[in-house]
Amino acid sequence: MKKFLIGALLALGTVTAYGETVAVIGAMDKEINLLKSQMKNIKEKKIGRITYYKGKLENKDIVLLKTGVGKVNAAVGADTVIREFGADKIIFTGVAGAINRNLNIADVVISKDLVQHDVDLTAFGAPMGQLSGESKIEFSADPQLIKLAEKSAIKVLGKDKVTIGRIATGDQFIANKEKVQFLGKEFNADAVEMEGGAVAQVAEIYGVPFVVLRALSDKADGSAEMVYSEFVEVAADNSAEIVKEMLKSM
Ligand code: ADE
């Protein structure tokens, strides 16, 4: 009976097998395609609009998904991998715009922490980025996952292309020099994207360790849209290669 129950639950994809499950999250197809194409024993489960791919990558149990762009999509995906798939760790992989002017296209930023730059309760005296009920603006990534991401990124791209820093998240594609300056000044951000801060908040709520990897597809300025279109694939694959390298050592 017990065996049957475990079998039935496994078939539903609601119980993690023995060992840990790592959730690997991207926002767009381009950010997960390379990883999906190399997974083994894939079992698909659709919940709402998001398809979750359970299987093996680098011999590790993972659940891979594309959430769609933006904070709400990302939060739904993060919540679901934790509650439905028992994710023990979360790695977000994808692309971002550069805020730190010393960084170059295709470099990688590993999240030391994340902020949500579109949160504004300044009318109540809170600093930009701070939600009510919080005493800080940032969500900190897991130190061990940061270290592993750094080691893996250096192996894949070389030391000069890897930065550990702050990622700013908001429901906006930034393509404006003034906004870049604002995000640098106000938040000391190195990169900007549209999902990481939401995943970080959900992970923190449940106490699940996470890290966000972002390869730079553009410089978030007036040319961002054009440059993004040219480099999004290279950047997305750089980030995905680092995830593979991380899984090898997990
Ligand atoms: N993702 C990639 N580039 C971005 C940008 N410039 N703004 C927000 N998200 C991004």
Side-chain angles (χ1 to χ4, degrees), residues 202-249:
V202 172
E204 189 176 290
I205 286 168
Y206 291 107
V208 174
F210 73 91
V211 72
V212 176
L213 307 184
R214 290 290 189 172
L216 302 175
S217 56
D218 57 84
K219 294 201 166 185
D221 54 13
S223 65
E225 202 187 321
M226 245 173 54
V227 176
Y228 171 90
S229 304
E230 192 175 342
F231 292 104
V232 61
E233 264 153 59
V234 168
D237 285 352
N238 276 1
S239 184
E241 289 291 352
I242 296 165
V243 173
K244 269 177 54 192
E245 194 59 41
M246 286 178 76
L247 290 171
K248 279 185 201 166
S249 312

Side-chain angles (χ1 to χ4, degrees), residues 23-27 31 74 78 89-97 107-116 139-150 153 162-169 190-204 208-216 239-240 242-243 246:
V24 181
I25 308 181
E31 292 171 327
K89 293 185 169 75
I90 296 177
I91 303 172
F92 193 102
T93 178
V95 301
D107 286 1
V108 159
V109 177
I110 297 162
S111 65
K112 176 175 151 304
D113 57 26
L114 298 102
V115 295
Q116 295 179 20
F139 299 95
S140 295
D142 177 66
Q144 275 179 311
L145 287 176
I146 295 172
K147 250 189 222 147
L148 177 59
E150 183 187 25
V162 179
T163 298
I164 299 173
R166 173 164 288 178
I167 296 173
T169 302
D190 294 295
V192 65
E193 39 85 308
M194 302 178 67
E195 297 83 19
V199 170
Q201 188 180 348
V202 172
E204 189 176 290
V208 174
F210 73 91
V211 72
V212 176
L213 307 184
R214 290 290 189 172
L216 302 175
S239 184
I242 296 165
V243 173
M246 286 178 76

Side-chain angles (χ1 to χ4, degrees), residues 65-156:
L65 60 142
K66 171 196 81 170
T67 59
V69 170
K71 288 165 64 181
V72 173
N73 284 328
V76 169
D79 187 82
T80 304
V81 293
I82 294 168
R83 288 164 56 93
E84 294 274 333
F85 295 89
D88 298 287
K89 293 185 169 75
I90 296 177
I91 303 172
F92 193 102
T93 178
V95 301
I99 298 300
N100 180 339
R101 296 293 95 178
N102 296 321
L103 302 180
N104 294 308
I105 304 294
D107 286 1
V108 159
V109 177
I110 297 162
S111 65
K112 176 175 151 304
D113 57 26
L114 298 102
V115 295
Q116 295 179 20
H117 68 78
D118 56 357
V119 166
D120 184 352
L121 279 86
T122 54
F124 297 95
M128 272 299 285
Q130 188 170 301
L131 289 157
S132 39
E134 299 280 352
S135 56
K136 57 182 178 49
I137 65 164
E138 77 281 7
F139 299 95
S140 295
D142 177 66
Q144 275 179 311
L145 287 176
I146 295 172
K147 250 189 222 147
L148 177 59
E150 183 187 25
K151 202 178 92 191
S152 307
I154 290 173
K155 197 162 173 194
V156 173

